[in-house]
Amino acid sequence: MKAQSRTLLEVEGLNIRYPTPRGAVEAVRNVSFTLGREKLGIVGESGSGKTQTGRAILRLTETHARVRADKLHFDGIDLLAANEQTMRRIRGRRISMIMQDPKYSLNPVMSVGEQIAEVFRVHSGAPARKARRRAVEMLDSVRIRDPERVYRAYPHEVSGGMGQRIMIAMMMTPNPDIIIADEPTSALDVTVQLQVLALLDDMVSDNGMGLIFISHDLELVASFCDRVVVMYAGQVVEVVDAGALHQARHPYTRGLLNCLPRIGTHGRDLPVLQRRSSWAAGISPRNRHA
Amino acid sequence: MTFPALRGAREYLLSGAPRSALQARCQRVWFSWRTFSANPVAVAGLLIVLALVSAAVIAPWITGSDGLDPELSRRLLPPSAAHWFGTDELGRDIYDRIIWGARITLYIVTLVGAIVVPIGLLIGTIAGYVGGIVDTVLMRITDIFLAFPRLILALALVAALGPGIENAVIAIALTTWSPYARIARAEALTLRGSEFILAARAQGASTGGILLRHITPLCVSSVIVRLTLDMAGIILTAAGLGFLGLGAQPPTPEWGAMISTGRQFLLDQWWVPTIPGIAIFIVSLGFNLLGDGLRDVMDPRHNA
Amino acid sequence: MPERAEAESGSGPTPLSALSTVAGSLLTIASTFIGLTAVTFVIGRVMPVDPVLAIVGDRASQDVYDRVFLELGLDRPLYEQYWRYLMQLFRGDFGTSIMTAQPVLQDLIRFFPATLELATLATLVGVLAGVPLGVVAAVRQGRLTDHLVRIFGLFGYSVPIFWLGMVALLIFYGALGWLPGPGRIEVYYDGIVAPVTGFIVIDAAYAGEWEIVRNALSHLVLPVAILSTYALAYIARMTRSFMLDQLRQEYMLTARVKGLSERAVIWRHAFRNVLVQLITIIGLTYASLLEGSVLTETIFAWPGIGQYITHSLFNSDMNAVLGGTIVVGISFVGINMLSDLLYKMVDPRARA
Amino acid sequence: MLRINKTQMGLAAALAATLAWNAPAVAATPKDTLIMARDIGDIITFDPAEAFEFTTGELLTNIYDRLLMHEPDNLQELVGGVAESWEISDGGKTITFKIRPGLTFHSGNPVTADDVTFSLRRVVKLNKTPVFILSQFGWNADNVDDLVQTVDGRTRITVTEDLSPGLVLNALSATVGSVLDEKLVREHEQDGDLGYEWLKSNSAASGPYRLITWKANELVTLEAFPDYRHGAPATRRVIMRHVAESSAQRLLLEKGDIDIARGLTPDQVQGLANNPDVAVDDNPKSDIVYMAVNAEHPVLGKPEVWQALRHLADYSGMTSSFLNGQFKVHQSFWPSGLWAALDDNPFALDVDKARRILADAGVGGLEITLDTLNLEPYPRIAQSLQATMRQAGIEMDILTADGKTLWPKYRARRHDIILARWAPDYLDPHSNADSFAHNPDNRAEAKLTGKLAWRNAWADDDVNRQTEMARNALDLDERKDMYLQLQGMIQDRSPFVVMFQRNEQTARRSNVRGFVSGPNFDLVFYRNTTK
Amino acid sequence: MLDVRQLHVYFGRGAARNHAVRGISFSVSRGGCFGLVGESGSGKSTVLKAICGLAPNWHGSLHLAQTALTQKRGLDFCRRVQMVFQDPYGSLHPRHTIDQILAEPLRIHRFDDIKTRIIRALEEVGLDLTFRFRYPHQLSGGQRQRVAVARALVTNPEVVLLDEPTSALDVSVQAEVLNLLARLRRERNLTYVLVSHDLSVVAHMCDRLAVMQHGRIVESLDIDKLHNQRPSHPYTRQLLLASRGYDRKTIDAFKDFD
């Protein structure tokens, strides 16, 4: 286990722009945070730039996006300056990512096992049989009952919860340092969602990884993560410790927390978040609904 | 002096809050045009098609004759200043015939579109939306037409209806509708379960109303795109029928027939079959380019 | 809401569903067959060509005409003629062609292989060249390669095939003399090799006549090149379009996240999905070429099925037309079924 | 970019490989084989009792010897083929044929009078299209066994109608006069069909060539018969190759892949002028091109209109341009160069005269359709006619069709004007007179569909009488005068406008010699051809 | 107002037949709001489809204001019972302007004064008139859902079926839409049937709710009972626990109710 530095990832002044025929769209503006071996939540409404931030770390934003940063360092490597080959070695092997819906993020015509074995083979050069064994082990480790059978199954044959476990197994296989989980459970039912999160939690803490958990669900992030980055319109509005979320000071964070319906709110109107233009100062108006 | 007017037009087209249905529609068209015109290849295609249309419209003013009457004293003259594309085996000016032939090509294109699109949409949307036994029966019929040798069917129909450009086009149309029905059906199938269709049903809209007002407009674009992409093939098939002597009758300046009768001159008077060949090529290319461009505009799945 | 299928619940086809699939395909073949023959029969009746005159010729006297009319059974109602034909077919008898004086079956055995070899080679060339071009164009979307592939594709799509054929013949045979002229083989080689498969190349190779093999192959080059222009254009274009769709899918991101090389991402992940859709397209292309390209066959004096059917049609030789249509229709259905089968092999989603 | 180049290079390499590989194969055709290109799509049978197509007419001439025939060294004279001599008796009603001794069929069987008798009876019994040539003698299936008999090793035929013996002999020189090998035919007989099924694609003959293969729309192969009565043919093998495209024929000829091209257009022939390897022969043929008007049409039925139409064809304009060299102006129904032909061409394009005639007849604003074949040069002639007719105020639409579509319409009298061709069935003026002039029953129910006069709903008592007189006349000179007169009558008063006579331009490699193409479609002889 | 007894709903035919709802019963009084909670595939949306006639293959009894409903629903029924769908992106026709979308039900039910009604409907859901001629793609998710609500209410229905009306929206927008729905119900005395996978939303909106699983109702309870943490069925209790967020310790106690 490597633990030379507490900080795995440093992001400073990250900007992502998309040139469009009607001027550039600023998807992410001046975002900074650091990640150690911890669970860091990034929270925001749709279009707040949280997904873009996650992808920029792996340098997988769309080709026409312009990514700039004062600093984007992982384990001493400048991710913006690294060549494609270095990036390929980092991707999967050291930084991995779990996407929202296994229905779309698994290759529909490859068997589940093949897809898991593939990532292992790419990074270890192991022979097929060994990769297969490893894949079955991984399926077992995400508490799939009949791993041999699921190994042969195809993505459309598995439920959403199982699909996401497979995804986790796949991304955990090379034992990376950082996992970026982009809304990994929002396509799942509540109880399954929590079970999958528990699994992710266990794996991350057992292996001492860093986790970036991207979600729109403030309550969930608060109860799951160690620290929370709150994003609004491409910017970080606040970074708070998860335990102290309910003492958050920014009106946006507070507004988000208050407007949630609860079992006790029956019969009353919910407080509505009043947006202020100052939160997104300097951001082109078009971006607000993007 | 036109600046305020221009600015007004700009505002009218770009305002986020259109004030009338007309303005909303104009905006949509304008937006599509913006996307389309950003693609130079597609614009080239449009220009070719427009050139075809304008040649057809202004033919009487840009030609010296109607290209029909033989003038046996000036047979097979090579291209020159007097006859830009030379003359054919009966001494007619090939340039004049090409220009007048644009009308026929345009006629073919329009007529096929006017037959194929409604048939394809009707059968496809009904099959896809209604489903069940109706779908099975309609698709079986479609499959039979799909499995039938296309040119053979067209030949048989032309032979039955009698040679001539209308009949050739009708024959082509009756043999080409089946893929359109399939496309429309596929679209209707995906739309059938979509929530806005459910919403319309929940409001009490009738099946006919849903087909006409909700499903058909959404299938039209993919059918139209496919049509423009197929248009080249249709022109070529019409030309092929002309080549086999079943299309336009002499002395009609149909391009395919011109190649057909001119093909024996390929060795010594190359221009006689080659000029109409190039004309067909350019127009087909135009429709293909246009179709590619339209696909990008109309079919959101193909937007990069 | 339909329930999600669970891996545990088992997803293999049950014996019952397999049976119903077989029954379904039989039904498809049967209905296509009935539909094809019925349509052809009606066509034969509405055609202004007189089958009797096709036999007796222009100058026959009326009593000869009347006798042949009765001999052909044309006085019977159409449905009865159709029924008789079907019954005859069930005995394996396609009837005799008027135009060739041979049993239609024998004609088909002669003409269909000629088309089959053209279509197969043209499709093969189309696939081998078109698929890589399409993939490369999609991957380099918007760049020079893409534009070149598209323009080349559009060329193949837009150029009148009969004109191209004539020009090609003129250049490669007439002017340059690199390739032989029209026909399947030089006529003086005719009759040397006994037809076994109907494919001259194979038959000659089997007989050890290498001179003839060489000659037949060289005759194939031009028509195959002309036909494959279209196949290639179509396949390249569809491949590009399918590939563009796949490149936008989220599993592509997954593949990249896994640290795969770009080549693996494209060929192992995206292309396997493209293949699924391509099978149908290739099947359709092949089937449409199997119809026999009447125009190409005319230009290259190729005795193929397209020419056979057309010629018979113009002479109202309905036994021949029906036989040809059945062969083309059945091969169309057959190819469709084959591509469905391949589809199921390649796409696990279609297996359920 | 790179990939395209690779593909192109690959293609080029493949081409080059084929080229190098194929080099020895692009050589001249084999020395002992004559290869001819022609459209052979019309062949449907090789049975002389049924075949009536242009291509089979020619091929059967080279396969079967007929009872009487023309020989390539003297095309004008009718001589004995299988018959050594014949005697006419009983006032021209009975003819007895003595058979040449020592002749054999391809099978090795001797040629006897029984074979001749069998062959003639067979034609009548099978009752196929060309039977009318023999049935005009008064023969039918019931009486033919009595009227055609072998007597003392000779074949004796009896004609019951009043016919000129010259006509009878000329008729027997048609394909139906081919002599079949009875023994061989009987071997292949099925269910008493007189060998009908087998003979469709086989031969049982004694002529210079034997039919080896017929592949419909591909080729016909003939092989020399070494024991032919004039000696073995000069070329061992003749292949007639199906090439429908005239430009392809020209390419093949210039490249030396065929020896003779049989379907070049005038312009293509002109294009060959500078090629020293190719020579072109002129062979006047007896095909004529005519325009005919349906006399049932309310306006077109007027004889004045027919008169006007005769002045509305640009005869010389066409023969000096797109028909140049392959058609000459000829305006009577019996072709020039044959016995009793009228070489008088009284009509020329005269729009004013035509307009005057039409005006006098009160005809104006005429809108009609012209049906014609979709083969060159008919659509071109039609377009020229269309232009000249428009000058006279007649709007004419052109409808081209395949013969198979056109003939039913013609035979049902559903045309306005038709532009078509005609070739005699045998070289006797009656062959054409019977069709153009003779119509004894003009009622629709009569269905004399074989006669052009009936098809155009035209009957004229004087003309009918003249035709019959000419047919039956015994004296040759008298007969000739009658035909000359008849041709004049048709020029004057019929709805037929005969315009052109064909001249076949046969293009051959210059080393090919001895190919004979006579005045009728079936007078083409291969056996002296060398190269 | 709405009475459902022993409702069974099926999808598909033959071997592929799917028994989606297996005999459920509930009733809602006029002006009431009834909630159905369950996970995906539990059959809760199917119940709504059967009520409004979009799932024709059902048996059992359905009564709307004492009138029994048959397989085929008349125009009048469609006017009285309306539905709001889950996905604001999918439930509006992409090529129709808001004006056309709102005009369609009015046209079908032959209302006059269409323009005034559209303007009033837009005002009621809090959209100003600049939205009238826009296309759905020019609207945000919340705005679209307001349009969907306006469309459902424009014909003055009595019963509104809400199928996960806020699950595709951001929480801040969800609050606005929920407030809007609550206000409209108060003002017009509407009867709601609300389907959601989110227990908090149902608890916030409804007076009474039922928990569904595998096509059956496992428990039916008043909101007070839920409020007092006294659901009797273990599945309901688990849902209640899960709605409180992530707690590593409780999760191991979760049962898979497959």
Side-chain angles (χ1 to χ4, degrees), chain C residues 53 55-56 58-60 62 67 99-100 110 136 145 173-174 178 182 187-188 190 214 218 311 314-315, chain D residues 1 3 19 21-22 30 41 43 127 129 214-216 218 237 241 255 257 404 411 423 425 447 449 455:
Chain C
L53 274 188
I55 298 176
V56 301
D58 173 33
R59 301 192 186 175
Q62 195 61 32
R67 189 170 45 75
M99 303 312 300
T100 67
R110 181 154 77 86
V136 169
T145 321
Y173 170 61
W178 291 0
V187 277
Y188 43 84
D190 185 78
R214 188 182 301 174
S218 63
H311 188 73
F314 286 147
N315 289 290
Chain D
M1 177 89 203
R3 257 168 207 275
L19 179 165
W21 200 34
N22 194 46
I43 304 180
N127 195 20
T129 307
W214 164 41
K215 288 190 183 171
E218 220 178 326
R237 202 151 59 128
R241 180 175 170 188
K255 298 301 288 182
D257 283 335
K404 298 297 191 311
R411 290 166 65 104
D425 302 315
K447 290 205 168 172
T449 44
R455 289 188 198 168

Coordinates of all heavy atoms in Angstrom, one line a residue, chain C residues 53 55-56 58-60 62 67 99-100 110 136 145 173-174 178 182 187-188 190 214 218 311 314-315, chain D residues 1 3 19 21-22 30 41 43 127 129 214-216 218 237 241 255 257 404 411 423 425 447 449 455:
Chain C
L53 N -48.1 -15.2 -78.9 CA -47.3 -14.6 -80.0 C -45.8 -14.8 -79.8 O -45.1 -14.9 -80.7 CB -47.6 -13.1 -80.1 CG -48.8 -12.7 -80.9 CD1 -48.9 -11.2 -81.1 CD2 -48.8 -13.4 -82.3
I55 N -44.5 -17.3 -78.8 CA -44.2 -18.6 -79.3 C -44.3 -18.7 -80.8 O -43.5 -19.1 -81.5 CB -45.1 -19.7 -78.6 CG1 -44.8 -19.7 -77.1 CG2 -44.8 -21.1 -79.2 CD1 -45.7 -20.6 -76.4
V56 N -45.5 -18.3 -81.2 CA -45.8 -18.5 -82.7 C -45.2 -17.4 -83.6 O -45.2 -17.6 -84.8 CB -47.3 -18.6 -82.9 CG1 -47.9 -19.7 -82.1 CG2 -48.0 -17.3 -82.6
D58 N -44.9 -13.4 -85.1 CA -45.7 -12.3 -85.7 C -46.6 -12.8 -86.8 O -47.7 -12.4 -87.0 CB -44.8 -11.2 -86.1 CG -45.5 -10.1 -86.9 OD1 -46.7 -9.9 -86.5 OD2 -44.9 -9.5 -87.8
R59 N -46.1 -13.7 -87.6 CA -46.8 -14.0 -88.8 C -47.7 -15.2 -88.8 O -48.2 -15.7 -89.8 CB -45.8 -14.2 -89.9 CG -44.9 -13.0 -90.1 CD -44.1 -13.1 -91.3 NE -43.2 -11.9 -91.3 CZ -42.2 -11.7 -92.2 NH1 -42.1 -12.6 -93.2 NH2 -41.5 -10.7 -92.1
A60 N -47.9 -15.8 -87.6 CA -48.7 -17.0 -87.5 C -50.1 -16.7 -87.9 O -50.6 -15.6 -87.7 CB -48.7 -17.5 -86.0
Q62 N -54.3 -17.3 -87.6 CA -55.1 -17.3 -86.4 C -55.3 -18.7 -85.8 O -55.4 -18.9 -84.6 CB -56.4 -16.6 -86.7 CG -57.2 -16.2 -85.5 CD -56.5 -15.2 -84.6 OE1 -55.7 -14.4 -85.1 NE2 -56.6 -15.3 -83.3
R67 N -54.7 -22.5 -81.4 CA -54.4 -23.8 -80.9 C -53.4 -23.7 -79.7 O -53.5 -24.3 -78.7 CB -53.7 -24.6 -82.0 CG -53.5 -26.1 -81.6 CD -53.1 -26.9 -82.9 NE -52.1 -26.3 -83.7 CZ -50.8 -26.2 -83.4 NH1 -50.4 -26.7 -82.3 NH2 -50.0 -25.5 -84.2
M99 N -38.3 -19.4 -74.2 CA -37.2 -18.7 -74.9 C -36.0 -19.6 -75.0 O -35.2 -19.4 -76.0 CB -36.8 -17.5 -74.2 CG -38.0 -16.5 -74.0 SD -38.8 -16.2 -75.5 CE -37.5 -15.6 -76.5
T100 N -35.8 -20.5 -74.1 CA -34.6 -21.3 -74.2 C -34.9 -22.8 -74.6 O -34.0 -23.5 -74.8 CB -33.8 -21.3 -72.9 OG1 -34.6 -22.0 -71.9 CG2 -33.6 -19.9 -72.4
R110 N -28.0 -22.7 -64.8 CA -27.0 -22.0 -65.7 C -26.8 -20.6 -65.4 O -25.7 -20.0 -65.3 CB -27.4 -22.2 -67.1 CG -26.4 -21.7 -68.1 CD -26.5 -22.4 -69.4 NE -27.6 -22.0 -70.2 CZ -27.5 -20.9 -71.0 NH1 -26.4 -20.2 -71.1 NH2 -28.6 -20.6 -71.8
V136 N -12.6 4.3 -40.6 CA -11.6 5.3 -40.5 C -12.3 6.7 -40.7 O -11.9 7.7 -39.9 CB -10.6 5.1 -41.6 CG1 -9.7 6.3 -41.8 CG2 -9.7 3.9 -41.3
T145 N -9.5 12.8 -44.3 CA -9.8 11.4 -44.6 C -11.3 11.2 -44.7 O -11.8 10.5 -45.6 CB -9.3 10.5 -43.4 OG1 -8.1 11.0 -43.0 CG2 -9.2 9.1 -43.9
Y173 N -10.6 -2.2 -71.7 CA -10.6 -3.2 -72.8 C -10.2 -2.5 -74.1 O -9.2 -2.9 -74.7 CB -12.0 -3.9 -72.9 CG -12.1 -4.8 -74.1 CD1 -11.3 -5.9 -74.3 CD2 -13.1 -4.5 -75.0 CE1 -11.5 -6.7 -75.4 CE2 -13.3 -5.3 -76.1 CZ -12.4 -6.4 -76.3 OH -12.6 -7.2 -77.4
G174 N -11.0 -1.5 -74.5 CA -10.8 -0.9 -75.8 C -9.4 -0.2 -75.9 O -8.7 -0.5 -76.8
W178 N -6.0 -4.0 -71.2 CA -5.5 -4.7 -70.0 C -6.5 -5.8 -69.6 O -6.1 -6.8 -69.1 CB -5.5 -3.8 -68.8 CG -4.4 -2.7 -68.9 CD1 -3.5 -2.6 -69.9 CD2 -4.1 -1.7 -67.9 NE1 -2.7 -1.5 -69.6 CE2 -3.0 -1.0 -68.4 CE3 -4.7 -1.4 -66.7 CZ2 -2.5 0.1 -67.7 CZ3 -4.1 -0.3 -66.0 CH2 -3.0 0.4 -66.5
P182 N -16.5 -8.0 -73.0 CA -17.7 -8.5 -72.4 C -17.8 -10.0 -72.5 O -17.1 -10.7 -73.3 CB -18.9 -7.9 -73.3 CG -18.2 -7.0 -74.3 CD -16.8 -7.1 -74.2
V187 N -15.4 -17.0 -76.0 CA -16.3 -18.0 -76.5 C -15.7 -19.3 -77.0 O -16.3 -20.4 -76.9 CB -17.2 -17.5 -77.6 CG1 -18.4 -16.7 -77.1 CG2 -16.4 -16.7 -78.6
Y188 N -14.5 -19.2 -77.5 CA -13.9 -20.4 -78.0 C -13.5 -21.4 -76.9 O -13.1 -22.5 -77.1 CB -12.7 -20.1 -78.9 CG -11.7 -19.1 -78.4 CD1 -10.7 -19.4 -77.6 CD2 -11.9 -17.8 -78.9 CE1 -9.9 -18.4 -77.1 CE2 -11.0 -16.8 -78.5 CZ -10.0 -17.1 -77.6 OH -9.2 -16.1 -77.2
D190 N -15.7 -22.1 -74.7 CA -17.0 -22.7 -74.3 C -17.1 -24.2 -74.6 O -16.6 -24.6 -75.7 CB -18.1 -22.0 -75.0 CG -19.5 -22.4 -74.5 OD1 -19.9 -22.0 -73.4 OD2 -20.1 -23.2 -75.2
R214 N -7.9 -18.8 -65.7 CA -7.3 -17.4 -65.8 C -8.2 -16.5 -66.7 O -8.4 -15.4 -66.3 CB -5.9 -17.6 -66.5 CG -5.1 -16.4 -66.6 CD -3.8 -16.7 -67.3 NE -3.0 -17.8 -66.7 CZ -1.9 -18.4 -67.3 NH1 -1.5 -17.9 -68.5 NH2 -1.3 -19.3 -66.7
S218 N -10.1 -13.2 -65.4 CA -9.9 -11.9 -65.9 C -11.2 -11.2 -66.4 O -11.4 -10.0 -66.4 CB -8.8 -11.9 -67.0 OG -9.3 -12.7 -68.1
H311 N -35.4 -10.7 -69.9 CA -35.6 -11.2 -71.3 C -36.9 -12.0 -71.4 O -37.7 -11.9 -72.3 CB -34.4 -12.0 -71.8 CG -34.5 -12.4 -73.2 ND1 -34.3 -11.5 -74.2 CD2 -34.7 -13.6 -73.8 CE1 -34.4 -12.1 -75.4 NE2 -34.6 -13.4 -75.1
F314 N -40.0 -9.9 -71.1 CA -40.4 -9.2 -72.3 C -41.0 -10.1 -73.4 O -41.6 -9.7 -74.3 CB -39.2 -8.5 -72.9 CG -38.8 -7.2 -72.2 CD1 -37.5 -6.8 -72.1 CD2 -39.8 -6.5 -71.6 CE1 -37.2 -5.7 -71.4 CE2 -39.4 -5.3 -70.9 CZ -38.1 -4.9 -70.8
N315 N -40.7 -11.4 -73.2 CA -41.3 -12.4 -74.1 C -42.4 -13.1 -73.5 O -42.9 -14.1 -74.0 CB -40.2 -13.3 -74.5 CG -39.2 -12.6 -75.5 OD1 -39.6 -12.3 -76.6 ND2 -38.0 -12.3 -75.0
Chain D
M1 N -6.6 9.1 -45.6 CA -5.8 9.5 -46.8 C -4.9 8.4 -47.1 O -4.9 7.9 -48.2 CB -5.0 10.8 -46.4 CG -4.1 11.3 -47.5 SD -5.0 12.4 -48.6 CE -4.0 12.3 -50.1
R3 N -4.9 5.4 -46.1 CA -5.6 4.1 -46.4 C -6.1 4.1 -47.8 O -6.1 3.1 -48.5 CB -6.8 4.0 -45.4 CG -6.4 3.0 -44.4 CD -7.4 3.0 -43.3 NE -6.8 2.6 -42.1 CZ -6.6 1.3 -41.7 NH1 -7.1 0.4 -42.5 NH2 -6.0 1.0 -40.6
L19 N -3.3 -8.1 -65.7 CA -2.8 -7.7 -67.0 C -1.7 -8.7 -67.4 O -1.7 -9.3 -68.5 CB -2.3 -6.3 -66.9 CG -1.7 -5.5 -68.0 CD1 -1.7 -4.0 -67.5 CD2 -0.3 -5.9 -68.3
W21 N -0.8 -11.4 -66.2 CA -1.2 -12.8 -66.2 C -2.0 -13.2 -67.4 O -1.9 -14.3 -67.9 CB -2.0 -12.9 -64.9 CG -2.2 -14.3 -64.4 CD1 -1.3 -15.3 -64.5 CD2 -3.4 -14.9 -63.8 NE1 -1.8 -16.4 -63.9 CE2 -3.0 -16.2 -63.5 CE3 -4.6 -14.4 -63.5 CZ2 -3.9 -17.0 -62.9 CZ3 -5.5 -15.2 -62.9 CH2 -5.2 -16.5 -62.6
N22 N -2.7 -12.2 -67.8 CA -3.7 -12.4 -68.9 C -3.1 -12.2 -70.3 O -3.7 -12.6 -71.3 CB -4.9 -11.5 -68.7 CG -6.1 -11.9 -69.6 OD1 -6.4 -13.1 -69.6 ND2 -6.7 -11.0 -70.3
P30 N -9.0 -18.4 -82.4 CA -8.4 -19.6 -83.1 C -8.6 -19.6 -84.6 O -9.7 -19.2 -85.0 CB -9.1 -20.8 -82.4 CG -9.7 -20.2 -81.1 CD -9.9 -18.8 -81.3
G41 N -31.1 -13.0 -79.4 CA -32.2 -13.1 -78.4 C -33.5 -13.6 -79.0 O -34.4 -14.0 -78.3
I43 N -33.9 -16.3 -80.9 CA -34.0 -17.8 -81.1 C -34.9 -18.4 -80.1 O -34.7 -18.2 -78.9 CB -32.6 -18.4 -81.0 CG1 -31.6 -17.8 -82.0 CG2 -32.7 -19.9 -81.2 CD1 -30.2 -18.4 -81.9
N127 N -48.1 -28.4 -87.6 CA -49.0 -27.2 -87.7 C -48.5 -26.0 -86.9 O -49.2 -25.4 -86.1 CB -50.4 -27.6 -87.3 CG -51.4 -26.5 -87.7 OD1 -51.2 -25.7 -88.6 ND2 -52.6 -26.5 -87.1
T129 N -46.1 -22.2 -86.8 CA -46.3 -21.0 -87.5 C -46.0 -21.0 -89.1 O -46.8 -20.6 -89.9 CB -45.5 -19.9 -86.9 OG1 -45.8 -19.9 -85.5 CG2 -45.7 -18.5 -87.5
W214 N -26.6 -24.7 -78.2 CA -27.3 -23.5 -78.2 C -27.5 -23.1 -76.7 O -28.3 -23.8 -76.0 CB -28.7 -23.6 -78.9 CG -29.6 -22.5 -78.6 CD1 -29.3 -21.2 -78.5 CD2 -31.0 -22.6 -78.3 NE1 -30.4 -20.4 -78.2 CE2 -31.4 -21.3 -78.1 CE3 -31.9 -23.6 -78.2 CZ2 -32.8 -21.0 -77.8 CZ3 -33.2 -23.3 -77.9 CH2 -33.7 -22.0 -77.7
K215 N -26.9 -22.0 -76.3 CA -27.1 -21.5 -75.0 C -27.9 -20.2 -75.2 O -27.3 -19.2 -75.7 CB -25.8 -21.2 -74.2 CG -25.1 -22.5 -73.8 CD -24.0 -22.1 -72.9 CE -23.1 -23.3 -72.5 NZ -21.9 -22.9 -71.8
A216 N -29.1 -20.2 -74.8 CA -29.9 -19.0 -75.0 C -29.2 -17.8 -74.5 O -28.7 -17.8 -73.4 CB -31.3 -19.2 -74.4
E218 N -26.6 -16.5 -75.1 CA -25.1 -16.6 -74.9 C -24.4 -17.0 -76.2 O -23.7 -16.1 -76.7 CB -24.8 -17.7 -73.8 CG -23.7 -17.2 -72.9 CD -23.4 -18.2 -71.8 OE1 -24.4 -18.9 -71.4 OE2 -22.3 -18.4 -71.4
R237 N -15.2 -24.6 -87.1 CA -16.2 -24.3 -86.1 C -16.7 -22.9 -86.3 O -16.0 -22.0 -86.7 CB -15.5 -24.4 -84.7 CG -16.5 -24.6 -83.6 CD -15.8 -25.3 -82.4 NE -14.7 -24.6 -81.9 CZ -14.5 -24.2 -80.6 NH1 -15.4 -24.6 -79.7 NH2 -13.4 -23.6 -80.2
R241 N -22.1 -15.5 -81.4 CA -22.1 -15.0 -80.0 C -23.1 -13.9 -79.8 O -23.2 -13.0 -80.7 CB -20.7 -14.5 -79.7 CG -20.5 -14.0 -78.4 CD -19.0 -13.6 -78.2 NE -19.0 -12.9 -76.9 CZ -17.9 -12.3 -76.4 NH1 -16.8 -12.3 -77.1 NH2 -18.0 -11.7 -75.3
K255 N -10.9 -5.2 -81.5 CA -9.9 -5.9 -80.7 C -9.5 -7.3 -81.2 O -8.7 -7.9 -80.7 CB -10.4 -6.0 -79.2 CG -10.6 -4.7 -78.5 CD -9.4 -3.8 -78.4 CE -8.4 -4.4 -77.4 NZ -7.3 -3.5 -77.3
D257 N -11.5 -9.9 -81.1 CA -12.1 -11.0 -80.3 C -13.3 -11.6 -81.1 O -13.8 -12.7 -80.7 CB -12.6 -10.5 -79.0 CG -11.4 -10.3 -78.0 OD1 -10.4 -11.0 -78.2 OD2 -11.5 -9.5 -77.0
K404 N -42.5 -7.9 -79.1 CA -43.4 -8.7 -78.4 C -44.6 -8.0 -77.9 O -45.7 -8.5 -77.7 CB -42.7 -9.5 -77.3 CG -41.6 -10.4 -77.8 CD -42.1 -11.5 -78.7 CE -41.1 -12.6 -79.0 NZ -39.8 -12.1 -79.4
R411 N -51.8 -6.7 -84.4 CA -52.7 -7.7 -84.8 C -54.1 -7.5 -84.4 O -55.1 -8.0 -84.9 CB -52.2 -9.1 -84.3 CG -50.9 -9.6 -85.0 CD -50.3 -10.7 -84.3 NE -51.2 -11.9 -84.2 CZ -50.9 -13.0 -85.0 NH1 -49.9 -13.0 -85.8 NH2 -51.7 -14.0 -84.9
A423 N -39.9 -8.7 -94.1 CA -39.0 -9.5 -95.0 C -39.7 -10.6 -95.5 O -40.6 -11.2 -94.8 CB -37.8 -10.0 -94.2
D425 N -41.0 -14.3 -96.7 CA -40.7 -15.6 -96.1 C -40.0 -16.5 -97.1 O -39.4 -17.4 -96.7 CB -42.1 -16.2 -95.8 CG -42.9 -15.3 -94.8 OD1 -42.2 -14.8 -93.9 OD2 -44.1 -15.1 -95.1
K447 N -60.1 -12.3 -88.6 CA -58.8 -12.5 -88.0 C -57.8 -13.1 -88.9 O -57.1 -14.1 -88.7 CB -59.0 -13.5 -86.8 CG -59.7 -12.8 -85.6 CD -59.3 -13.5 -84.3 CE -59.9 -12.6 -83.1 NZ -59.7 -13.2 -81.9
T449 N -54.9 -12.4 -89.2 CA -53.9 -11.6 -88.5 C -52.5 -11.7 -89.1 O -51.6 -10.9 -88.9 CB -53.8 -12.1 -87.1 OG1 -53.8 -13.5 -87.0 CG2 -55.0 -11.5 -86.3
R455 N -54.5 -6.4 -91.0 CA -54.1 -5.7 -89.8 C -54.4 -4.2 -89.9 O -54.7 -3.5 -88.9 CB -52.6 -5.9 -89.5 CG -52.3 -7.3 -89.0 CD -50.9 -7.3 -88.6 NE -50.4 -8.7 -88.5 CZ -49.1 -9.0 -88.4 NH1 -48.2 -8.0 -88.2 NH2 -48.7 -10.2 -88.4

